[in-house]
Amino acid sequence: METITSEEMAVLDINCEYFGLSRLQLMENAGRGLAEEIIKRFKPCKVVIFAGLGNNGGDAFVCARFLRNFDVEVFLLGRSKDIKTEIAKRNFDILKKAGYKITEIRDKIPEFEADIVIDGMLGTGVRGKLRGIYAKSVEVINESKAFKIAVDVPTGLNPDTGEFELCVKADLTVTFHKPKPGLLKAKDVVGELVVKDIGIPKSFENLAGVGDVKKVYKRFESGHKGVHGRIAVIGGIGYTGAVALTSLACYYAGADLVTTLVPKDIKNVVASFSPNLIVRELDLCDLSSLNELMKKYHVAVLGMGVERNDEFTDFVEEFLKLENVKKVVLDASAITKDIPEGVECIMTPHAGEFRKVFGEPTIENVMKVAKETNSVILLKGREDVITDGERVRFNRTGNAGMTVGGTGDVLAGVAGAFFALNDAFWSASASAFVNGLAGDICFEEKGYNFTAVDLLEKIPIAIKRCLEFV
Ligand SMILES: NC(=O)C1=CN([C@@H]2O[C@H](COP(=O)(O)OP(=O)(O)OC[C@H]3O[C@@H](n4cnc5c(N)ncnc54)[C@H](OP(=O)(O)O)[C@@H]3O)[C@@H](O)[C@H]2O)[C@@H](O)CC1
Ligand SMILES: [K+]
């Protein structure tokens, strides 16, 4: 059975909201689905709901409304003013206004008789050991003779690993959209498992969205310089602008330090583009000092502004074998079949570059190549394709103005910056989304005739828009 981790579910949750399917609708569908399963199994009887302060509790509040003629009572584990989310609070207030019997529990759990207990305490938001009243509630629930129904995840179970210390021993677990992997590994506390569809279109699971960016973007309050990413950009053999676009894009996507390595003869030209640029001489033959240098960098971004030539192709092959090269973004002329074991790699070809090295850019072939090269391929196009050979994501941000030269250089820089602090797959997906969104912001302001420099300058705004989306 296909599963979804709680992290992937959190990305999907935000992306649904972003694509117009609100979390309130998802909660309504979840709660109703839960009630359906109860009504299938029981005639109207006495139900006690143990509700947490998050959306797991929210689902249970919705469910209560659909248990027509059941005698429903709610135990809230905390104060109603501490309910964490707007949608859970909203569904709680409806029950309050409707006159449902609600008891706010601090530390003592009232005696109760029930035919059914609903565990709406914790779901995918559980972190660490169960706190006081939650642990006590689990014990009380497990001692009761009632039929125990867990909302989404039995409280206390780690939804991804299936581990637990203290956990509700459910007779039935009603989970939503897809099971979390942990549910399949903990039969004795999950009981019968039912997966309820909550109306999320299948394609949303593979569509890059704001959730991808919120997942990868990190800012540490107390960080030393460099903690947000140190990137080496290598290229500029033949063209001067591309490496500058890539290097500045790294900064605009959050990197702390970027060093731009270019041939001696254009070093001053590139440096003149911006005081932000730290430009050093690239000596393709001096691999040992490059290896030394790479000790200090999280990611190397290669290939932009290089006319394809054998010397550079050979250089890339040798560079990838260097001991201190751990994460690379390969663009344009650096795209290659031979990625050594142990190097995490994102390749960012457009269709033509892919065709030249790997053949027809069909989804199947791109997935096959990603698998064979053990890399993540971000195939740029009207709809970008991101795949690690197993998983596939599509990105639909961007517009016809993005065909202008240099947008790929900007994308490679954004990917490099995200890659410093994340894995290849999500870095590639989030960077495709941000780059296209920046292009859409350019279009809002200028129509199609914007340049890669315009795009560059909108990268921080695109990221800010994603981070501010709730
Ligand atoms: N698309 C979807 O995802 C959908 C998800 N849906 C539903 O949302 C659920 C996820 O909701 P969620 O993210 O609000 O987390 P949830 O499990 O309610 O817990 C958060 C609360 O628990 C608390 N808390 C945490 N650890 C604790 C501990 N050890 N001991 C004690 N307390 C602890 C934590 O407190 P805090 O750490 O913030 O202080 C916070 O208050 C998911 O399982 C599903 O039911 C449906 O609506 C359908 C669509
Ligand atoms: K639960």
Side-chain angles (χ1 to χ4, degrees), residues 24-61:
L24 184 66
Q25 287 170 280
L26 294 179
M27 180 170 284
E28 191 72 11
N29 296 345
R32 181 173 199 154
L34 173 61
E36 264 166 27
E37 288 308 312
I38 295 173
I39 292 162
K40 252 189 220 167
R41 291 169 172 75
F42 295 89
K43 291 196 179 348
C45 57
K46 169 74 185 192
V47 176
V48 167
I49 292 175
F50 280 75
L53 302 176
N55 287 342
N56 196 244
D59 295 351
F61 300 144

Side-chain angles (χ1 to χ4, degrees), residues 56 119-123 150-155:
N56 196 244
D119 158 22
M121 297 187 282
L122 299 176
V151 181
D152 199 30
V153 181
T155 292

Side-chain angles (χ1 to χ4, degrees), residues 399 401 404 442-443 446-451 454:
N399 57 69
V404 68
C442 289
F443 177 74
K446 300 191 166 185
Y448 288 123
N449 308 331
F450 53 87
T451 67
D454 297 320

Side-chain angles (χ1 to χ4, degrees), residues 9-10 12-13 23 26-27 30 53-57 59 84-85 87 121-131 134 151-153 176 198 200:
M9 197 70 200
L12 179 57
D13 200 34
R23 279 166 283 203
L26 294 179
M27 180 170 284
L53 302 176
N55 287 342
N56 196 244
D59 295 351
K84 282 277 176 331
T85 66
I87 53 174
M121 297 187 282
L122 299 176
T124 50
V126 66
R127 302 276 175 275
K129 268 176 75 61
L130 293 184
R131 289 171 216 157
Y134 285 78
V151 181
D152 199 30
V153 181
F176 308 114
I198 52 175
I200 298 176

Side-chain angles (χ1 to χ4, degrees), residues 360-437:
E360 269 316 292
T362 61
I363 300 256
E364 297 70 30
N365 198 21
V366 176
M367 290 184 76
K368 188 163 140 293
V369 168
K371 213 170 178 66
E372 283 165 1
T373 57
N374 189 25
S375 69
V376 167
I377 295 191
L378 194 179
L379 178 74
K380 295 176 289 192
R382 182 61 205 92
E383 178 180 77
D384 305 314
V385 179
I386 299 100
T387 182
D388 61 357
E390 299 288 327
R391 299 168 287 178
V392 193
R393 287 184 86 71
F394 300 98
N395 175 57
R396 295 200 183 127
T397 57
N399 57 69
M402 302 283 288
T403 50
V404 68
T407 55
D409 301 320
V410 173
L411 171 60
V414 176
F418 287 167
F419 199 8
L421 300 177
N422 294 279
D423 69 9
F425 182 68
W426 288 102
S427 302
S429 181
S431 58
F433 184 84
V434 162
N435 205 50
L437 180 61

